[in-house]
Amino acid sequence: MQITSDNTWDDVRSELCDVVITALIALHTLTPDAREVFMAHLAGVTERSLGADPTR
C-alpha cells in the first residue's frame, strides 16, 4: 500500500501491523530460536533508547 492523503489513520495502522507480521514470520523462518533473537535485539534497542532491559 502506498500512503497517500486519501488514507485514513486506520489504513496506516493496518499497514504497520502487516509489516510487523511479515517481519516476525521472516525471522521465524530464518532461525529456530526467533523468540530469543527478537528478545535480545529488543533488549539492545531498549538499552540504547531508555537505558533499561525489558527482559529483567
Side-chain angles (χ1 to χ4, degrees), residues 3-27:
I3 304 299
T4 67
S5 61
D6 294 332
N7 295 114
T8 66
W9 283 114
D10 284 339
D11 294 332
V12 174
R13 287 187 285 264
S14 178
E15 184 67 18
L16 290 172
C17 289
D18 288 346
V19 169
V20 170
I21 292 166
T22 301
L24 289 173
I25 290 170
L27 183 61

